[in-house]
Amino acid sequence: MRPPPVAVALTLVTLGGAASAAQGVVNAELGQRVGNATLGAVVNNLGGTLLIMVGLLVLPSMRSGLAALRRARLPWWSYLGGLGGAAIVVLGAYAVPVLGVAVFTIAQVAGGSLGGLASDRAGLAPLGRLPLTTPRIAGALLGVAAVALAQTGQPVGDLAVGVLLLAVAGGVGVALQAALNGRVSAAGSAAAGVAVNFFVSTPVVLLVAALAGAFTGPPVVWPDGWHLYAGGLLGVVIVASLVVGVRAAGVLRTGLALVAGQLGGALLLDVLLPGGPGARLPVLAGALLTLLAVLVAGRSPRSTIGAP
């Protein structure tokens, strides 16, 4: 199936970014209530995997896409995109308390921009090789600056260099996740790309949670509230939007559109959630600047696509 027009694809990614903001709130609250941050990630991935299993039963496109992947004979590393998603979920649980929300977010987006530029340059995504051009570099830098602006007033922790580099690496992992999942979806189907992502990421999250002792100790008292268990559904939406975006617009612009949606979603949640801080001008400005970064990064001439 051909990818949608770029504007449509990036709109879907922006909506996926808003879902990502909601997912972060849900997983954090669940982890806090059960007393273990990694259990939020476990519920998130198990919920997404359960939805994928249902999809295998009811979606012919998922079954046919997975069958097409067996015939495509992609390199083994093409299927590792889910590791990037697992990495950022686990890293976030441990890095945010050290670095604070603001520094972690900026480091993650910086890593995502670097990873997006590198992935596009290497041609990892199905769109082909996109060279480093002034507009693309400017868009990446503008995106990082926009996120830094949006984090004004957020808590800042210790500037631990090792943890900071891990946060940057997590952002790179997210960019690689989008690129490789897009590659898989191009060889099979979008539904197959989402399925492979969860089949790879969920065992890793379970292993990390087990090593962290999440499954030992006293029995967990699971809280009420269906919304606390919606992380898996939101995760499927996010991964699906990234698969669509990467095939149409490349990794860098898809990542920037995701960040714009995350900031817009965070702003909306701040207004709607009880006890929230309300509308914050820095977040609004950051979201608008990130959308501008998406436009700036897209000014590369079409003729450069596929250039060495």
Side-chain angles (χ1 to χ4, degrees):
M1 185 177 70
R2 293 175 59 85
V6 173
V8 174
L10 292 177
T11 299
L12 292 175
V13 174
T14 303
L15 294 175
S20 178
Q23 182 192 48
V25 171
V26 166
N27 289 346
E29 183 178 348
L30 179 60
Q32 183 180 26
R33 289 201 189 184
V34 299
N36 190 307
T38 56
L39 284 179
V42 169
V43 171
N44 177 90
N45 274 68
L46 287 179
T49 302
L50 178 61
L51 289 174
I52 294 301
M53 300 302 293
V54 173
L56 284 172
L57 296 175
V58 302
L59 295 178
S61 64
M62 186 175 289
R63 296 193 298 271
S64 62
L66 291 174
L69 286 178
R70 290 197 294 270
R71 299 189 296 269
R73 298 184 181 277
L74 294 176
W76 62 270
W77 47 264
S78 300
Y79 297 97
L80 300 182
L83 295 182
I88 197 62
V89 169
V90 174
L91 284 173
Y94 293 98
V96 169
V98 176
L99 299 174
V101 174
V103 176
F104 174 77
T105 304
I106 295 168
Q108 177 192 339
V109 173
S113 295
L114 289 173
L117 287 169
S119 298
D120 284 339
R121 179 68 182 87
L124 292 181
L127 191 61
R129 299 180 66 183
L130 301 175
L132 292 176
T133 61
T134 299
R136 289 175 59 75
I137 295 173
L141 293 175
L142 181 59
V144 176
V147 172
L149 172 62
Q151 297 306 311
T152 301
Q154 291 295 316
V156 176
D158 298 326
L159 295 180
V161 175
V163 181
L164 185 66
L165 292 176
L166 284 176
V168 173
V172 174
V174 172
L176 292 174
Q177 175 192 25
L180 296 180
N181 286 346
R183 191 183 187 97
V184 169
S185 71
S189 66
V194 177
V196 169
N197 177 89
F198 277 91
F199 290 155
V200 171
S201 65
T202 299
V204 176
V205 171
L206 290 173
L207 175 61
V208 172
L211 294 175
F215 304 129
T216 60
V220 175
V221 178
W222 296 100
D224 295 330
W226 65 267
H227 67 283
L228 296 175
Y229 305 95
L233 173 60
L234 294 170
V236 170
V237 171
I238 296 162
V239 175
S241 71
L242 290 175
V243 164
V244 173
V246 165
R247 291 189 64 186
V251 182
L252 175 63
R253 297 185 74 197
T254 296
L256 292 172
L258 183 74
V259 172
Q262 288 172 328
L263 293 176
L267 182 66
L268 188 61
L269 289 171
D270 285 345
V271 174
L272 296 180
L273 288 179
R280 291 181 290 151
L281 184 59
V283 178
L284 175 60
L288 295 176
L289 280 177
T290 311
L291 289 175
L292 177 61
V294 174
L295 297 176
V296 170
R299 296 191 62 185
S300 299
R302 290 182 179 272
S303 59
T304 61
I305 295 179

